[in-house]
Amino acid sequence: MVSAIQEQRDIILDTIKSITRGDWKVLVIDESSKKIIDNVVKEDDILNENIANIERIEEKREMNPDMDAIYILSPQPHIVDCLMADFERRRYRKTFLVWTALLDPQMRRRIDTSRQAKEQLAGFETLSIDYFPRESHLITFRDPWSFPILYHPACNNLVRDHMQILAQKITGICVSLGEYPKVRYYRPRNPTHEASVLCGHLARFVQEELDAYAQWNQNFPPPTSRPPGVLVITDRSMDLVAPVIHEFTYQAMAHDLLAIKETDKVYYKTVVNEGGADQQEKEMEIGEKDKIWVENRHRHMKDTIEKLMSDFQKFIDENPHFTNSEQDATSLNAIKDMLAGLPQFQELKEAYSLHLNMAQECMNIFQHHKLPDIASVEQSLATGLDEDFRKPKNLADQIVRLLDDESIGPSDRLRLIMLYIIFRDGIIMEDIQRLLAHASLPPQDAEVLTNLELLGAHTTKLLKDLKRTNQSLFPAKTAPTAQSEEYALSRFEPMLKLMLEDIAKGALDQTTFPYVKPPLDNSEELAAQSQASLRSAKPTWAKNRTSTVENRQRIIVYMAGGATYSESRACYEISQSRSRDVFLATSHMLTPAFYVRQVSDLSKDRRRLDLPMDRPKPKAPAHLFERNEPRPVPPPAGQGPARMGMGLSQSKLNPGVGFPKGGPLPKSPGAPSPPGKSPSYNPSPYNPNPYATPQPVPPTAGVAALSMGSNGTNGDGSGSKGKLEKKSKYAKDDGVEKKKRGFFGSKK
C-alpha cells in the first residue's frame, strides 16, 4: 500500500543520490528543512548516499573550499541571507541548491544576480516537500496557527497570503503522490459565518497552482493506470461535533484522556520494568515504528484490550519455558506481572508495558469520570437519535443531571453544553447562563460557546425566533449498526466518513461539494465506481496480482482548521472497505481540549495569540558575516580567483566546470521538477549547469503574475491579476499596499 512517509523519503534520498552520483559532498540544511528530513529519513540513510557530513547553515562551520555542497533549504528570507553569506565567503567549492518549497521571486533574483552565486552555483531545484507525513495516510503541516488565521476576526488581513501558502503545500502533496486530481470543495448551505467562502477560495487557489505546475512540467502527471484522483477541500465548519464528542477507539481515546506529549514526535511517559529492581519512568515514542500501536490504534478500546491480551497469550504459548504455567493471562494486571519476569525480551516488554498501561489508564478514567453516562447523552445529541434509533426524550433533564454531578470534570461539562447547543441549533442566552451555572463553570466560558458562531454554528437566539430545522449534511442512518452496549456509545460517524462513502459511490452532491472545474460528463464517477481507468495504457489481460492495489483511486482530503483522530480513522476505514487510498491532510491534529482552547482564543486580542507573523522576523546569525575565519588561499599573480582551495581557477583546472570570469548568468531551471526525478541534473560531469531557458519562468500560479522580464509584465510585479483576482503575496515591490477589503468581505 502506498505510504506518504515512504513517498517523501524516496523524493529526498533520490534527489541527494542524483546529485552526488558517487562523489562525496557536504549536505547543508536549516532548522525547518531538518525537521522535514528528520521526519521521514534516518541520518544514516543520508550518509550512505555519499554525504561526508551534515551541517546546519545557521551554525558555525569550518571553511571547506575543496568540497561540493548540497543545500536543502526552506525558502525563508533569513535562510537566503545565510546562503548569500556562504557564497560571499566561498565556503564550499560548488553549490547544488535544493529548496523544500517555492522560492520568492525577489529572493530568487537576488541569487541570480549575485556574481559569487553565479560562479559557484552548479544546480538549482525545487522540491514540493513542505509538509509532514505523520502516518502512511495522514499528513499535517504542523501549523496550529492556521486555525486563528482562518477564523479569528482580527486576522482577516492575513488570510489571503496564508491561503497561498496552503495552496502550494497542498499542491506539493498532490505532486509527491503523482496526482493531478479533480478539485472539489465544501460549500455550506445557508451559511451565516464570514468564513463560509473559505473552502471555495482555497480550492481555486489550489486549482491554479496545479494547473501552473502541469503547464511548466510536461511530465506531470506521470502515466498511471489509476482512475483520476479527487481532492476535496473542506474545513472545520463541516463538522463541529467530531472535535468535541468522546471517542472510544484506541488512538482517539488515548489522545483525549491521557497526557500524551506532542513535539516533532509523539511520546507517552510510562513505567517500564514495573515491580523490578530496574523499574524506571520512561518516555516512549508512539509512531509508525510501533507495530502494536499501528495494528490497534483504530480498534474500539474493548477490542484493543482483547487483542493485546490474546497476542500476549499467543506469545506465552510459543515461549512456555519463559513463563510460569500456573499464571493466567486473562487480566491486564496478570499480564503486567508476567512481563516483569521476562528479562530476555526487553523491547517486547517495553512495548507491551506501554500499551497495557495506556489502555488501563484510559479505562480507569472511563469508569471514574462516568464517561459511559456522558457518552450515552453525547451520542443522542450528535446523531439526533437514541440507542433505539428513535427521537431522544428528556435530553435537557439528563444534561442538567450530568452537569450537577461532581465526578464529571469541568472540561467534560463544557463539551456537553457545546454539543447541546449545536444539537438545538442555538438557545436563548439565559439558558446558556443557567447551564454554565449548573456546571459551575465561569461566565467567561460563555465566550467559547458564542465563538462557535465564527465556525458556522448558531449558538444563541431570541425567544421569539422561529424554530429552525437543523438540516443534516448527510441523511441520518436509521438502521441499527450497534450490536452491543459498548458499540452503542460509538454510533456517531464523522461527516468526513459519510462524504467519503458518497465519493466512493459516485454520489456526492455537486451542489454542496461542487467542482472548481465541472466535468463535462459523469465518466469519472462511473470510472470511480468500477475502478476502471481513464488513463490506462496497459490492457486488462496484462495486469498482475498487485495491480488491484496499484490501480486504486487516490482521494486526498484537506481539512482546513485542524482534523480529529476519528476523521483520520475514517480515511483508513474507507480505504479498506472501498478499495481506495484516502489521504487526510490538515494543518494540525486536534484533541478535544486543544480544540476548545482554540475556539476560546477566537475572542482574544490578536496580540495575545503569539502568531508567527506577529513575532520579530528571524535573522541570519552575525557570525556568518564575521571576518575572523581563514580565507581561501589567494591565487598566484595573473590567475583567476581560487575556487578549489588549491591556487587554481576552476576554468583552468577543468574547462567546463564552473563559470569563467564574466561568464553567463545561470539560467532558470523553470518550474519545479517533479520530485524524485531530478531531471535538471545532466548526467555529464562536464555540464553541471544544464539550464537552457532564456528567461526565468514563473514556476507556479502564485508568481505567474510577477515579472522576471517575461510574459509582458513590467518587471515590478505589476502585471494584470488572474481571473480569480488572486493577489500574489510577493507583489509589493513598490512598498505600497492599497487599503483593501478583508478576505471574507469585511472592510479593513
Side-chain angles (χ1 to χ4, degrees):
M1 186 182 285
V2 66
S3 164
I5 295 173
Q6 188 63 40
E7 293 290 324
Q8 195 186 59
R9 180 181 183 276
D10 290 347
I11 289 166
I12 293 168
L13 290 179
D14 288 351
T15 300
I16 294 172
K17 194 185 303 182
S18 71
I19 299 172
T20 56
R21 298 188 184 280
D23 294 331
W24 290 98
K25 290 179 171 55
V26 175
L27 177 63
V28 184
I29 56 180
D30 61 54
E31 182 183 8
S32 298
S33 65
K34 182 180 188 299
K35 288 180 178 179
I36 292 172
I37 294 168
D38 286 350
N39 187 53
V40 294
V41 187
K42 293 178 183 174
E43 189 173 302
D44 285 348
D45 294 335
I46 294 173
L47 296 174
N48 289 340
E49 299 297 344
N50 288 86
I51 294 298
N53 193 23
I54 301 174
E55 301 177 352
R56 279 276 297 276
I57 196 169
E58 307 99 329
E59 295 175 354
K60 289 190 175 183
R61 291 161 285 144
E62 295 292 326
M63 298 291 288
N64 201 348
D66 298 329
M67 184 81 88
D68 291 346
I70 303 171
Y71 287 77
I72 300 183
L73 302 177
S74 55
Q76 302 176 75
H78 73 289
I79 297 301
V80 175
D81 290 341
C82 296
L83 174 67
M84 298 309 288
D86 278 7
F87 281 143
E88 189 176 331
R89 307 296 297 280
R90 301 184 183 278
R91 189 176 295 276
Y92 306 101
R93 184 172 58 189
K94 302 300 295 182
T95 295
F96 295 82
L97 277 182
V98 180
W99 300 96
T100 59
L102 190 65
L103 187 64
D104 180 312
Q106 293 181 21
M107 292 191 275
R108 174 65 192 269
R109 277 197 291 272
R110 190 177 162 198
I111 296 170
D112 286 347
T113 56
S114 160
R115 181 177 60 83
Q116 291 94 342
K118 173 178 67 176
E119 292 168 348
Q120 296 167 63
L121 200 59
F124 189 109
E125 186 172 2
T126 302
L127 301 182
S128 304
I129 55 170
D130 190 14
Y131 57 88
F132 297 91
R134 180 168 170 149
E135 298 173 8
S136 64
H137 287 59
L138 174 61
I139 299 164
T140 78
F141 297 156
R142 293 187 184 171
D143 183 16
W145 295 277
S146 184
F147 184 90
I149 290 172
L150 294 176
Y151 298 110
H152 196 296
C155 295
N156 218 331
N157 64 317
L158 303 175
V159 173
R160 187 181 297 273
D161 287 355
H162 182 63
M163 281 199 177
Q164 184 66 64
I165 293 167
L166 290 180
Q168 290 176 3
K169 292 186 180 197
I170 296 166
T171 300
I173 295 171
C174 297
V175 170
S176 298
L177 293 173
E179 288 293 330
Y180 189 4
K182 294 293 180 184
V183 183
R184 304 181 73 168
Y185 62 94
Y186 170 53
R187 182 166 62 192
R189 301 174 188 152
N190 309 316
T192 56
H193 61 303
E194 210 177 8
S196 62
V197 295
L198 186 162
C199 298
H201 284 301
L202 181 54
R204 281 185 283 273
F205 280 23
V206 174
Q207 185 73 66
E208 285 193 344
E209 294 288 342
L210 283 166
D211 292 347
Y213 190 91
Q215 180 183 351
W216 300 112
N217 291 272
Q218 297 305 315
N219 52 354
F220 176 78
T224 178
S225 55
R226 292 190 303 272
V230 179
L231 168 66
V232 185
I233 305 291
T234 183
D235 82 313
R236 196 60 271 155
S237 70
M238 184 176 87
D239 190 344
L240 298 177
V241 172
V244 182
I245 196 167
H246 281 89
E247 267 274 327
F248 299 120
T249 47
Y250 184 29
Q251 183 182 38
M253 191 175 184
H255 277 276
D256 182 4
L257 304 183
L258 304 182
I260 289 176
K261 177 180 165 187
E262 288 200 46
T263 52
D264 292 344
K265 298 187 183 297
V266 181
Y267 298 97
Y268 181 69
K269 189 178 284 188
T270 188
V271 176
V272 295
N273 304 318
E274 193 171 352
D278 54 348
Q279 174 177 320
Q280 60 170 321
E281 208 172 40
K282 183 176 179 181
E283 274 194 346
M284 301 276 288
E285 183 182 342
I286 307 169
E288 293 299 283
K289 298 171 191 169
D290 184 339
K291 302 304 179 194
I292 298 175
W293 172 253
V294 171
E295 190 177 354
N296 290 286
R297 63 188 170 201
H298 299 137
R299 296 186 201 272
H300 191 280
M301 182 57 84
K302 171 179 172 288
D303 300 327
T304 299
I305 292 172
E306 287 177 359
K307 184 76 168 63
L308 286 171
M309 293 169 69
S310 66
D311 285 353
F312 191 74
Q313 185 66 54
K314 183 180 176 184
F315 168 78
I316 291 171
D317 294 341
E318 291 171 355
N319 299 275
H321 50 295
F322 289 127
T323 59
N324 182 348
S325 58
E326 295 179 5
Q327 287 184 287
D328 182 22
T330 55
S331 74
L332 292 179
N333 285 328
I335 291 175
K336 287 166 73 174
D337 291 342
M338 295 172 79
L339 278 171
L342 295 174
Q344 299 89 343
F345 297 91
Q346 186 61 28
E347 195 174 324
L348 180 83
K349 279 174 62 177
E350 291 189 358
Y352 271 107
S353 292
L354 169 68
H355 294 290
L356 290 165
N357 286 343
M358 286 175 63
Q360 188 167 49
E361 185 59 26
C362 283
M363 293 313 296
N364 289 343
I365 295 171
F366 180 77
Q367 296 296 342
H368 296 157
H369 292 270
K370 296 199 173 177
L371 293 194
D373 297 342
I374 297 172
S376 177
V377 176
E378 283 182 347
Q379 291 294 317
S380 297
L381 294 172
T383 62
L385 299 168
D386 63 15
E387 292 178 20
D388 299 319
F389 287 82
R390 298 192 183 97
K391 189 175 179 180
K393 297 177 181 177
N394 306 319
L395 276 178
D397 293 340
Q398 295 178 54
I399 288 166
V400 168
R401 258 199 311 275
L402 290 170
L403 295 180
D404 288 337
D405 194 323
E406 291 182 1
S407 60
I408 293 172
S411 60
D412 288 339
R413 297 177 196 178
L414 184 58
R415 287 162 65 178
L416 197 56
I417 296 172
M418 291 171 79
L419 286 171
Y420 180 64
I421 289 173
I422 294 167
F423 167 73
R424 289 287 305 274
D425 203 31
I427 58 179
I428 61 173
M429 197 64 200
E430 288 80 357
D431 283 349
I432 289 180
Q433 290 163 353
R434 287 190 192 99
L435 290 171
L436 290 172
H438 271 288
S440 301
L441 293 172
Q444 54 264 37
D445 276 351
E447 283 187 14
V448 181
L449 305 173
T450 54
N451 285 350
L452 288 171
E453 297 263 359
L454 296 167
L455 280 79
H458 297 131
T459 58
T460 58
K461 61 184 176 184
L462 300 175
L463 199 56
K464 61 184 179 182
D465 285 350
L466 293 173
K467 186 175 182 181
R468 293 188 287 246
T469 54
N470 193 1
Q471 190 179 3
S472 177
L473 195 56
F474 298 96
K477 293 186 178 180
T478 53
T481 55
Q483 301 301 317
S484 66
E485 188 178 343
E486 291 91 348
Y487 301 115
L489 300 181
S490 300
R491 303 192 310 278
F492 168 75
E493 292 180 320
M495 293 295 120
L496 187 70
K497 184 174 183 180
L498 304 178
M499 179 193 80
L500 289 170
E501 284 180 343
D502 277 4
I503 290 176
K505 291 185 289 190
L508 188 63
D509 179 23
Q510 291 193 31
T511 305
T512 311
F513 293 92
Y515 290 89
V516 174
K517 291 182 174 179
L520 299 175
D521 53 41
N522 68 341
S523 58
E524 286 161 25
E525 277 78 3
L526 296 174
Q529 291 173 50
S530 64
Q531 281 286 284
S533 173
L534 300 179
R535 295 188 268 166
S536 179
K538 190 188 287 186
T540 53
W541 48 262
K543 292 179 181 176
N544 57 24
R545 269 181 237 170
T546 61
S547 66
T548 308
V549 174
E550 291 171 356
N551 292 345
R552 284 154 59 120
Q553 183 191 31
R554 293 179 179 176
I555 302 169
I556 304 164
V557 180
Y558 182 74
M559 176 67 78
T564 69
Y565 291 99
S566 61
E567 289 164 336
S568 169
R569 170 177 52 81
C571 292
Y572 287 94
E573 289 172 347
I574 296 296
S575 294
Q576 188 171 5
S577 65
R578 297 286 183 175
S579 296
R580 303 293 196 277
D581 275 310
V582 184
F583 296 87
L584 176 61
T586 187
S587 53
H588 61 298
M589 295 307 291
L590 291 169
T591 62
F594 189 51
Y595 173 71
V596 170
R597 181 182 143 197
Q598 288 208 294
V599 173
S600 172
D601 286 346
L602 294 180
S603 53
K604 286 185 178 173
D605 189 302
R606 172 174 158 177
R607 289 168 295 186
R608 295 177 57 195
L609 298 178
D610 190 32
L611 298 175
M613 54 284 300
D614 291 340
R615 299 172 192 162
K617 301 294 182 225
K619 294 181 179 179
H623 64 77
L624 289 172
F625 307 96
E626 293 169 359
R627 293 293 176 186
N628 56 357
E629 294 182 35
R631 298 297 300 269
V633 179
Q639 291 196 359
R643 303 201 189 96
M644 305 186 74
M646 294 186 292
L648 293 171
S649 72
Q650 278 184 346
S651 55
K652 289 186 181 290
L653 180 70
N654 188 347
V657 178
F659 304 101
K661 190 171 182 180
L665 183 73
K667 305 291 194 299
S668 166
S673 53
K677 307 295 182 189
S678 300
S680 61
Y681 296 111
N682 192 306
S684 167
Y686 299 106
N687 185 17
N689 181 38
Y691 308 141
T693 316
Q695 292 289 344
V697 179
T700 73
V703 294
L706 246 153
S707 168
M708 295 166 89
S710 61
N711 285 354
T713 48
N714 302 324
D716 61 352
S718 59
S720 61
K721 290 185 181 180
K723 62 184 178 181
L724 291 182
E725 294 296 308
K726 180 173 68 173
K727 178 180 178 295
S728 169
K729 65 178 177 179
Y730 310 128
K732 298 178 184 175
D733 290 3
D734 58 355
V736 178
E737 187 180 358
K738 290 182 180 178
K739 201 168 185 181
K740 62 180 187 292
R741 281 180 160 306
F743 188 72
F744 293 138
S746 63
K747 289 184 180 177
K748 287 283 140 195

